Amino acid sequence: MNRNTIRLLILLGTLSISGIIAVQAYWVKRAFDLKEQQFRQTVMISLRNVANRISALYKLSNFDNPVSQLSSDYYVVNLRVPLEADVLEHYLKEEFRKQNLNTDFEYGIYDCDTEKIIYGAYITANFEENKSIAKSLPKTDKYINYFGVRFPSKTSFLASKLDIWLISSLITLIVTVFFGYAMFVILRQKRLSEVQRDFVNNMTHEFQTPISTIRIATDVLSQDKIMEQPERLKKYVQIIRQENNRLKIQVETVLNTARLERGKMQLEIQLQELHSLINEVTEGVQAELEDCLKLELKATKPSVYADRTQLVSLIRNLLENAIKYSSKPPCITIKTENIEDAIVFSVSDKGIGIPKESIDKIFKKFYRVPTGNLHNVKGFGLGLSYVNQIVKAHKWQIIVESEVGQGSTFKVIMKQEN
């Protein structure tokens, strides 16, 4: 699946999901508005019935329209006569039960003497009084004697009546999440596919170079005249040995990285002398780098508990990484120093450096720092990932300091306690 196809798929899917969400939101809003209108009508009918029952109690004529809505959840009702709170509460409960208005409400009666609304009570959805809640209700100049009723839980009450719509909204949400996850998986698989392709290409190139060199060397060694040229014979034998060792290291890196990630690598932790291992690794490249490699081994306590093979691999990979990403000739410094109960091993170079946005990614498997259209850096993209796995396996810490164009420093803080 090419990039344009994926983009088209994401675009069409996004438009489809957006359309479904928009339609769903529209109909949920319409359903809520309809329920709100029904709620208002029910409240108006219930309060009008209460007003007419009170009028009948005092032998007054019935009201045509005694109820006024002051806000979405607050209503006032004309009384014409003073009324006791207990009587009003009784009538309100009866009417609300009849109309199935099983939601919290609070009421108050206007007192002409004090010109204030005397708060009545807060009645819960099961029509029981909650005395712990007491609020003030707003006044109006529309009536002389009146009472007010507020429904503080109106929104939640109406939402509870939208069961089917809430279920359909939940299904829409699940579909949206599934779509997002599917797109994430598709993009992730595409990226992994590209990484795998690049890895195979890099691995093929890395293996072909030493194999071709070994084949050429063996062709030379197969000639009869080579026995008469011992120096030349020795040179080609050395080439085969070096290329064979290079192949061995590459294969071991791939296999050991996989083992460490699966947790199947058995570490043989023993006390190691770090300085001797550094000298061992750098011995093979000293002649190649000449004066470009500086060793500042200042640690007074250079011993550390580690797996020898993995520690050597860590040193070699950091050194090779510094060489690969340095200009020619490279300028590399290896340092050691003691801090408290640990030894700090660092490899510094004055190479191309690492962009800030890439520093958090360099330890990911197969990741290569982008270098534009240039592809002159060899490797699998496993070196730093392998180093990170070794550091984690030993419960150490690695720190990266880098600036583009100035170089990079990799510091490994190794605990000296077993």
Side-chain angles (χ1 to χ4, degrees):
M1 187 179 296
N2 59 43
R3 184 171 299 177
N4 290 333
T5 302
I6 292 178
R7 287 177 179 175
L8 180 62
L9 178 63
I10 293 175
L11 178 61
L12 293 177
T14 302
L15 291 176
S16 301
I17 292 296
S18 299
I20 293 173
I21 292 175
V23 171
Q24 181 70 19
Y26 171 78
W27 283 111
V28 169
K29 181 66 168 57
R30 285 289 302 271
F32 185 85
D33 291 343
L34 180 61
K35 290 293 182 182
E36 189 172 32
Q37 184 179 356
Q38 292 174 347
F39 177 83
R40 178 180 177 277
Q41 292 174 349
T42 304
V43 170
M44 298 285 280
I45 292 171
S46 299
L47 294 179
R48 185 182 64 191
N49 291 341
V50 169
N52 288 331
R53 291 182 66 180
I54 293 172
S55 297
L57 180 66
Y58 288 93
K59 297 180 180 180
L60 300 174
S61 61
N62 287 345
F63 284 103
D64 290 332
N65 188 21
V67 185
S68 294
Q69 184 177 7
L70 300 186
S71 65
S72 63
D73 62 350
Y74 184 54
Y75 302 80
V76 293
V77 183
N78 191 2
L79 272 178
R80 293 185 295 190
V81 294
L83 185 67
E84 295 293 330
D86 293 341
V87 177
L88 175 60
E89 183 176 322
H90 172 73
Y91 285 142
L92 288 174
K93 287 182 178 179
E94 279 195 352
E95 286 298 325
F96 288 167
R97 280 196 182 98
K98 288 179 183 179
Q99 300 295 335
N100 290 321
L101 283 173
N102 301 319
T103 181
D104 297 1
F105 71 92
E106 52 187 347
Y107 70 93
I109 302 175
Y110 179 72
D111 188 341
C112 297
D113 295 333
T114 61
E115 296 184 352
K116 294 181 180 179
I117 290 184
I118 307 302
Y119 191 81
Y122 187 103
I123 311 300
T124 61
N126 55 3
F127 299 104
E128 293 181 357
E129 185 175 336
N130 188 339
K131 296 182 179 180
S132 63
I133 302 178
K135 299 179 181 178
S136 60
L137 299 177
K139 298 188 300 180
T140 181
D141 297 330
K142 192 170 185 178
Y143 306 119
I144 298 176
N145 289 295
Y146 64 90
F147 68 88
V149 179
R150 172 182 280 164
F151 299 90
S153 303
K154 186 199 77 170
T155 302
S156 59
F157 174 73
L158 294 179
S160 66
K161 301 295 183 181
L162 300 174
D163 294 345
I164 186 64
W165 291 105
L166 293 176
I167 292 174
S168 62
S169 298
L170 179 61
I171 294 174
T172 303
L173 178 62
I174 293 174
V175 171
T176 303
V177 172
F178 176 77
F179 171 77
Y181 178 74
M183 290 299 99
F184 170 77
V185 170
I186 290 174
L187 293 175
R188 184 169 178 267
Q189 290 299 322
K190 181 179 181 296
R191 183 176 61 83
L192 290 176
S193 177
E194 292 175 349
V195 168
Q196 184 182 27
R197 184 186 65 240
D198 293 340
F199 171 72
V200 171
N201 290 338
N202 288 332
M203 184 174 65
T204 302
H205 175 73
E206 288 293 312
F207 284 168
Q208 279 182 343
T209 301
I211 290 172
S212 298
T213 304
I214 292 173
R215 184 177 65 250
I216 293 171
T218 54
D219 289 343
V220 173
L221 292 177
S222 65
Q223 298 175 4
D224 296 334
K225 295 182 179 180
I226 194 67
M227 301 303 295
E228 300 173 1
Q229 303 172 335
E231 291 299 324
R232 193 180 176 199
L233 174 64
K234 184 178 180 181
K235 177 183 176 181
Y236 280 100
V237 170
Q238 183 65 24
I239 290 174
I240 293 175
R241 184 179 292 112
Q242 289 176 348
E243 295 302 319
N244 181 68
N245 189 55
R246 179 180 170 186
L247 277 174
K248 178 184 177 183
I249 292 173
Q250 290 171 344
V251 173
E252 285 180 350
T253 299
V254 175
L255 295 178
N256 288 337
T257 300
R259 288 171 185 165
L260 280 172
E261 286 190 341
R262 294 195 303 267
K264 294 184 178 181
M265 177 67 73
Q266 298 296 326
L267 300 179
E268 297 182 4
I269 304 297
Q270 295 180 357
L271 191 62
Q272 308 295 337
E273 214 287 332
L274 181 60
H275 288 174
S276 64
L277 296 181
I278 293 174
N279 290 323
E280 178 183 326
V281 173
T282 57
E283 183 180 0
V285 295
Q286 281 282 10
E288 179 183 347
L289 298 179
E290 297 179 353
D291 297 330
C292 300
L293 177 62
K294 296 181 182 179
L295 299 182
E296 298 181 7
L297 309 181
K298 299 179 180 180
T300 56
K301 298 178 181 178
S303 298
V304 62
Y305 284 95
D307 182 292
R308 187 183 188 281
T309 302
Q310 302 306 325
L311 183 53
V312 168
S313 296
L314 181 146
I315 299 170
R316 181 187 295 115
N317 275 283
L318 289 180
L319 178 58
E320 290 180 352
N321 188 75
I323 295 172
K324 284 192 293 185
Y325 290 96
S326 292
S327 56
K328 302 298 182 182
C331 184
I332 299 169
T333 303
I334 297 179
K335 296 181 181 179
T336 63
E337 60 179 331
N338 290 111
I339 55 167
E340 297 180 356
D341 60 342
I343 182 171
V344 180
F345 165 72
S346 64
V347 178
S348 303
D349 64 69
K350 294 184 180 180
I352 61 175
I354 305 170
K356 290 183 178 179
E357 62 271 16
S358 296
I359 289 180
D360 293 335
K361 304 175 183 177
I362 57 176
F363 293 113
K364 292 183 179 180
K365 190 162 61 172
F366 307 128
Y367 182 80
R368 308 284 294 275
V369 176
T371 55
N373 294 324
L374 298 177
H375 303 279
N376 55 353
V377 178
K378 299 179 180 180
F380 299 151
L382 289 176
L384 291 180
S385 172
Y386 184 30
V387 166
N388 191 41
Q389 293 294 332
I390 294 172
V391 169
K392 287 183 178 179
H394 287 84
K395 298 180 180 179
W396 295 338
Q397 182 183 2
I398 186 166
I399 300 172
V400 183
E401 299 172 356
S402 186
E403 186 175 346
V404 175
Q406 300 298 318
S408 306
T409 298
F410 288 80
K411 294 181 180 180
V412 179
I413 301 176
M414 307 174 181
K415 292 184 179 181
Q416 294 182 292
E417 297 179 356
N418 189 4

